Short mmCIF file of all heavy atoms in Angstrom, two decimals:
data_model
loop_
_atom_site.label_atom_id
_atom_site.label_comp_id
_atom_site.label_asym_id
_atom_site.label_seq_id
_atom_site.Cartn_x
_atom_site.Cartn_y
_atom_site.Cartn_z
N MET A 196 54.59 -35.55 -52.76
CA MET A 196 54.42 -36.00 -54.11
C MET A 196 53.53 -35.02 -54.84
O MET A 196 52.52 -34.59 -54.36
CB MET A 196 53.78 -37.38 -54.11
CG MET A 196 53.52 -37.89 -55.53
SD MET A 196 52.99 -39.63 -55.58
CE MET A 196 51.22 -39.44 -55.52
N GLU A 210 53.00 -40.88 -80.56
CA GLU A 210 54.37 -40.47 -80.38
C GLU A 210 54.78 -40.53 -78.92
O GLU A 210 55.91 -40.95 -78.60
CB GLU A 210 54.60 -39.09 -80.96
CG GLU A 210 54.51 -39.10 -82.50
CD GLU A 210 54.61 -37.70 -83.08
OE1 GLU A 210 53.69 -36.90 -82.85
OE2 GLU A 210 55.64 -37.45 -83.75
N LEU A 220 62.43 -49.27 -72.09
CA LEU A 220 63.37 -50.24 -72.60
C LEU A 220 64.84 -49.83 -72.41
O LEU A 220 65.73 -50.67 -72.48
CB LEU A 220 63.08 -50.54 -74.06
CG LEU A 220 61.74 -51.20 -74.34
CD1 LEU A 220 61.43 -51.28 -75.81
CD2 LEU A 220 61.68 -52.59 -73.69
N VAL A 227 65.22 -57.65 -67.33
CA VAL A 227 64.40 -58.57 -66.55
C VAL A 227 62.95 -58.12 -66.47
O VAL A 227 62.16 -58.73 -65.76
CB VAL A 227 64.99 -58.82 -65.14
CG1 VAL A 227 66.36 -59.52 -65.26
CG2 VAL A 227 65.07 -57.53 -64.34
N LEU A 230 60.03 -58.14 -72.55
CA LEU A 230 60.35 -59.18 -73.50
C LEU A 230 60.82 -58.60 -74.81
O LEU A 230 60.90 -59.30 -75.82
CB LEU A 230 59.17 -60.09 -73.70
CG LEU A 230 58.65 -60.83 -72.50
CD1 LEU A 230 57.44 -61.68 -72.81
CD2 LEU A 230 59.71 -61.69 -71.87
N GLY A 246 49.09 -47.79 -84.53
CA GLY A 246 48.19 -48.89 -84.22
C GLY A 246 48.20 -49.26 -82.75
O GLY A 246 47.13 -49.59 -82.20
N ARG A 258 43.92 -51.92 -73.02
CA ARG A 258 43.84 -50.52 -72.53
C ARG A 258 45.16 -50.18 -71.89
O ARG A 258 45.69 -50.96 -71.10
CB ARG A 258 42.74 -50.42 -71.53
CG ARG A 258 42.43 -48.98 -71.08
CD ARG A 258 41.88 -48.08 -72.19
NE ARG A 258 40.80 -48.68 -72.94
CZ ARG A 258 39.51 -48.37 -72.83
NH1 ARG A 258 39.09 -47.51 -71.94
NH2 ARG A 258 38.61 -48.98 -73.58
N GLU A 263 50.42 -39.16 -65.68
CA GLU A 263 50.84 -37.89 -66.24
C GLU A 263 51.12 -36.90 -65.14
O GLU A 263 50.21 -36.62 -64.30
CB GLU A 263 49.75 -37.38 -67.18
CG GLU A 263 50.11 -36.16 -67.96
CD GLU A 263 49.04 -35.83 -69.01
OE1 GLU A 263 47.84 -36.10 -68.78
OE2 GLU A 263 49.41 -35.27 -70.03
N GLY A 281 39.98 -69.98 -74.79
CA GLY A 281 39.99 -70.69 -76.06
C GLY A 281 40.98 -70.16 -77.04
O GLY A 281 41.16 -70.68 -78.14
N PHE A 288 50.66 -70.44 -75.19
CA PHE A 288 49.96 -71.39 -74.38
C PHE A 288 48.47 -71.17 -74.43
O PHE A 288 48.01 -70.00 -74.55
CB PHE A 288 50.44 -71.42 -72.93
CG PHE A 288 51.84 -71.89 -72.76
CD1 PHE A 288 52.89 -70.97 -72.60
CD2 PHE A 288 52.13 -73.21 -72.78
CE1 PHE A 288 54.21 -71.41 -72.46
CE2 PHE A 288 53.44 -73.67 -72.65
CZ PHE A 288 54.47 -72.75 -72.48
N ARG A 292 40.63 -69.44 -69.38
CA ARG A 292 39.54 -68.63 -68.84
C ARG A 292 39.69 -67.21 -69.38
O ARG A 292 40.84 -66.79 -69.70
CB ARG A 292 39.57 -68.64 -67.31
CG ARG A 292 40.86 -68.10 -66.77
CD ARG A 292 40.97 -68.17 -65.23
NE ARG A 292 40.79 -69.46 -64.68
CZ ARG A 292 41.77 -70.35 -64.40
NH1 ARG A 292 43.02 -69.99 -64.61
NH2 ARG A 292 41.53 -71.50 -63.91
N LEU A 297 48.30 -58.04 -67.39
CA LEU A 297 49.05 -56.79 -67.26
C LEU A 297 50.44 -56.95 -67.84
O LEU A 297 51.15 -57.90 -67.54
CB LEU A 297 49.17 -56.38 -65.77
CG LEU A 297 47.90 -56.05 -65.01
CD1 LEU A 297 48.27 -55.57 -63.61
CD2 LEU A 297 47.06 -55.07 -65.71
N VAL A 334 42.96 -61.27 -63.22
CA VAL A 334 43.98 -60.53 -63.92
C VAL A 334 45.32 -61.20 -63.56
O VAL A 334 45.54 -61.52 -62.40
CB VAL A 334 44.00 -59.04 -63.61
CG1 VAL A 334 45.18 -58.32 -64.20
CG2 VAL A 334 42.69 -58.39 -64.06
N GLU A 341 64.23 -63.37 -61.77
CA GLU A 341 65.26 -62.56 -61.10
C GLU A 341 64.83 -61.14 -60.81
O GLU A 341 65.67 -60.35 -60.36
CB GLU A 341 66.55 -62.58 -61.93
CG GLU A 341 67.14 -63.98 -62.08
CD GLU A 341 68.36 -64.02 -62.99
OE1 GLU A 341 68.89 -62.94 -63.33
OE2 GLU A 341 68.69 -65.12 -63.39
N PHE A 352 50.74 -55.80 -53.44
CA PHE A 352 49.49 -55.23 -54.03
C PHE A 352 48.36 -56.24 -53.92
O PHE A 352 47.22 -55.86 -53.95
CB PHE A 352 49.73 -54.86 -55.49
CG PHE A 352 48.62 -54.07 -56.05
CD1 PHE A 352 48.57 -52.67 -55.87
CD2 PHE A 352 47.61 -54.67 -56.75
CE1 PHE A 352 47.51 -51.91 -56.41
CE2 PHE A 352 46.52 -53.91 -57.28
CZ PHE A 352 46.48 -52.55 -57.10
N ARG A 355 49.03 -63.08 -56.27
CA ARG A 355 49.56 -64.29 -55.68
C ARG A 355 50.21 -65.16 -56.74
O ARG A 355 49.69 -65.32 -57.82
CB ARG A 355 48.44 -65.12 -55.00
CG ARG A 355 47.73 -64.38 -53.87
CD ARG A 355 48.69 -64.24 -52.71
NE ARG A 355 48.12 -63.35 -51.69
CZ ARG A 355 48.67 -62.22 -51.33
NH1 ARG A 355 49.71 -61.76 -51.92
NH2 ARG A 355 48.13 -61.46 -50.41
N ASN A 366 65.29 -67.05 -74.28
CA ASN A 366 66.22 -67.61 -73.34
C ASN A 366 65.47 -68.61 -72.44
O ASN A 366 65.08 -68.32 -71.32
CB ASN A 366 66.86 -66.52 -72.45
CG ASN A 366 67.92 -67.04 -71.55
OD1 ASN A 366 68.20 -68.24 -71.52
ND2 ASN A 366 68.58 -66.17 -70.80
N PRO A 367 65.20 -69.79 -72.99
CA PRO A 367 64.37 -70.78 -72.28
C PRO A 367 64.96 -71.31 -70.98
O PRO A 367 64.26 -71.93 -70.21
CB PRO A 367 64.20 -71.95 -73.28
CG PRO A 367 65.24 -71.73 -74.35
CD PRO A 367 65.63 -70.26 -74.30
N VAL A 369 65.66 -69.37 -68.60
CA VAL A 369 65.15 -68.37 -67.60
C VAL A 369 63.62 -68.52 -67.60
O VAL A 369 63.01 -68.70 -68.57
CB VAL A 369 65.60 -66.95 -67.96
CG1 VAL A 369 64.97 -65.94 -67.04
CG2 VAL A 369 67.10 -66.86 -67.99
N TYR A 374 51.65 -64.61 -61.73
CA TYR A 374 50.97 -64.10 -60.55
C TYR A 374 49.57 -63.75 -60.97
O TYR A 374 49.32 -63.32 -62.11
CB TYR A 374 51.61 -62.82 -60.04
CG TYR A 374 52.91 -63.05 -59.28
CD1 TYR A 374 54.08 -63.37 -59.92
CD2 TYR A 374 52.92 -62.85 -57.88
CE1 TYR A 374 55.27 -63.52 -59.22
CE2 TYR A 374 54.12 -63.02 -57.19
CZ TYR A 374 55.28 -63.36 -57.87
OH TYR A 374 56.43 -63.53 -57.15
N TYR A 376 45.53 -62.08 -59.76
CA TYR A 376 44.70 -61.29 -58.86
C TYR A 376 43.26 -61.69 -59.19
O TYR A 376 42.76 -61.39 -60.28
CB TYR A 376 44.90 -59.80 -59.11
CG TYR A 376 44.36 -58.87 -58.04
CD1 TYR A 376 45.22 -58.25 -57.15
CD2 TYR A 376 42.99 -58.61 -57.97
CE1 TYR A 376 44.71 -57.37 -56.17
CE2 TYR A 376 42.48 -57.76 -57.00
CZ TYR A 376 43.35 -57.16 -56.11
OH TYR A 376 42.87 -56.29 -55.12
N PRO A 379 37.34 -59.72 -57.44
CA PRO A 379 36.81 -59.56 -56.09
C PRO A 379 35.33 -60.01 -55.99
O PRO A 379 34.62 -60.05 -56.97
CB PRO A 379 36.96 -58.11 -55.78
CG PRO A 379 37.45 -57.42 -57.00
CD PRO A 379 37.68 -58.48 -58.05
#
Side-chain angles (χ1 to χ4, degrees):
M196 177 172 92
E210 290 175 293
L220 294 172
V227 295
L230 300 177
R258 188 65 49 102
E263 187 173 31
F288 293 101
R292 60 184 56 93
L297 296 184
V334 172
E341 295 176 15
F352 192 85
R355 298 291 170 246
N366 187 356
V369 176
Y374 284 73
Y376 194 104

